[in-house]
Amino acid sequence: MNTIKKFLLINALLICIPFSDAKAAYNLPYIGETIEYTARHEDTFVHLARDYNLGFTEMRAANPYVDPWLPGEKTTLILPTRHILPNAPREGIVINVADMRLYAYINGDNEPYSTPIGVGREGLNTPIGTTTVVRKKDGPTWRPTARMISEKPELKPAYPPGPDNPMGTHAIYLGWPTYALHGTNRPFGIGRRVSSGCIRLYPEAIKEVFKRIPVGTKVTVVNQPVKMAWIGDELFIEAHPTLEQSVAMEEMGEVPEEKLTNDEMNQLIKIAGNHQDRLRWPAIRTALKERSGYPVSIARKPSVEVNDSGKIEEHTNATKLTTQKAQELYAGYDEKSDVWRENEKTPAKQIVVEETVKITSQKAIKVEANKSLNTLHVDEKNVTTIAENSDHNQDDANSYSLNQ
């Protein structure tokens, strides 16, 4: 066999390798850039979320003191389009139910495709663990479960493909019985806890994932409300509402304070490494209290030092933090921490400025967290429906939940 034939054979074999067996070589710990946006008169969080590939709760968390239905012309908004990647294998599909996002490692060495999702509401949680894609269906039929019919007797036994089908146009069925990734006929439910456990995507997003994800693809589902990563010389923390806090964040724009768990604190100590003494505890506390959903700087590596012999000095801690000591530092050193913390003036939102990209209302362009995503469109009818019912009535939200 000559050289040319060998070359063609090798390339043919490489092309035939299933996607699910390949791991992405993307080596950055994050995707996208945070955007500072000047609102227009007609903007709502529902419109902006879909235009910028975000979910409703993401917008609410990043802008807690802004009316989501009438932000107001020239109001400055944070669009949380930078995301630290979950701590999970970078292969197949990774879903983080806490930040309500899907990450698909389908772009080779480029950043993964990412899109917001809707997840299971309280009592009907989306499962955590690892499974695979077992089949796909273009034009699925939705059959309500016995539980759904008992709750809503008016439901029909089956809903064929069409505008009344809450599964949307495409479904990707998982190895867990009755669970799937699918579209929706009510896109304003994306980025919220409204389903019966299934994972919902925007109509345009499910088409993209359906097209590019083969049967057999590995699917990893994690619950990581707090993510951390070094980006350059800075350590960032990205804190989202926990699943229990997400409804409060959606309705009120704020949540009761919840401390780092011991596992999260151990992760912080580990990732800080030799720079534990550089951790800014007031910034950490503020990020955990606000849970704004975008990365906030909490430490910076010191400048490089060169000794008398011309060698670079390596920075090391005099002591290493234990979990207990770190929790004490987080709490404010002693029992007087409540008084001390009231005097802190380091809001997390002041730290993100250098990471933002400014977009004015006069520039009608789409800035996407993932460059492979096409320009998104807004369903004006759905937007009007939810805007007129802006009290976020949970019963209304549950009326279109499903678990296929």
Side-chain angles (χ1 to χ4, degrees), residues 15 24 30 32 65-66 112 219-220 244 250 255 332 375 377 398 404:
I15 291 171
Y30 72 98
Y65 306 115
V66 178
V219 178
T220 303
E244 293 72 25
E250 179 185 327
V255 294
T375 299
H377 301 284
N398 289 346
Q404 176 60 34

Side-chain angles (χ1 to χ4, degrees), residues 103-208:
Y103 305 84
Y105 291 90
I106 55 181
N107 295 327
D109 294 347
N110 298 318
E111 66 181 40
Y113 175 93
S114 182
T115 189
I117 57 174
V119 298
R121 66 184 188 271
E122 188 174 0
L124 297 167
N125 293 339
T126 300
I128 305 299
T130 302
T131 185
T132 59
V133 173
V134 295
R135 67 187 179 94
K136 305 195 300 181
K137 179 65 175 177
D138 182 345
T141 295
W142 179 55
R143 293 179 174 83
T145 64
R147 175 191 59 78
M148 295 175 189
I149 293 175
S150 67
E151 292 177 355
K152 296 185 177 299
E154 67 273 17
L155 289 174
K156 295 186 292 187
Y159 289 77
D164 295 332
N165 188 330
M167 293 190 75
T169 59
H170 297 76
I172 301 173
Y173 295 92
L174 304 179
W176 296 318
T178 74
Y179 289 95
L181 312 177
H182 59 76
T184 179
N185 62 346
R186 299 195 179 184
F188 54 80
I190 301 303
R192 302 170 64 199
R193 291 193 69 186
V194 292
S195 82
S196 292
C198 279
I199 298 156
R200 297 179 178 187
L201 286 73
Y202 282 129
E204 59 276 6
I206 188 63
K207 291 177 182 178
E208 181 74 11

Side-chain angles (χ1 to χ4, degrees), residues 16-24 90-92 105 214-218:
C16 292
I17 295 175
F19 163 73
S20 56
D21 293 336
K23 294 188 178 182
R90 295 189 179 186
E91 57 182 315
Y105 291 90
V215 171
T217 297
K218 181 179 179 180

Side-chain angles (χ1 to χ4, degrees), residues 37 40 43-54 202 204 365-368 373-378:
Y37 175 86
R40 300 167 298 181
D43 284 332
T44 69
F45 280 13
V46 172
H47 283 86
L48 291 172
R50 194 166 182 190
D51 282 350
Y52 287 88
N53 196 30
L54 296 168
Y202 282 129
E204 59 276 6
I365 60 174
K366 306 297 181 186
V367 179
E368 299 156 355
L373 188 66
N374 293 328
T375 299
L376 307 181
H377 301 284
V378 179

Side-chain angles (χ1 to χ4, degrees), residues 243-259:
L243 288 173
E244 293 72 25
Q245 294 174 321
S246 61
V247 174
M249 178 62 78
E250 179 185 327
E251 294 179 349
M252 298 180 294
E254 58 183 1
V255 294
E257 185 172 357
E258 187 166 323
K259 297 179 179 179

Side-chain angles (χ1 to χ4, degrees), residues 267-295:
Q267 182 187 2
L268 175 60
I269 293 170
K270 180 179 179 181
I271 197 168
N274 290 335
H275 305 286
Q276 294 169 14
D277 60 334
R278 312 288 295 187
L279 292 169
R280 298 196 298 272
W281 293 100
I284 295 170
R285 283 190 292 273
T286 302
L288 266 294
K289 181 179 181 180
E290 293 183 347
R291 297 197 176 246
S292 60
Y294 54 80

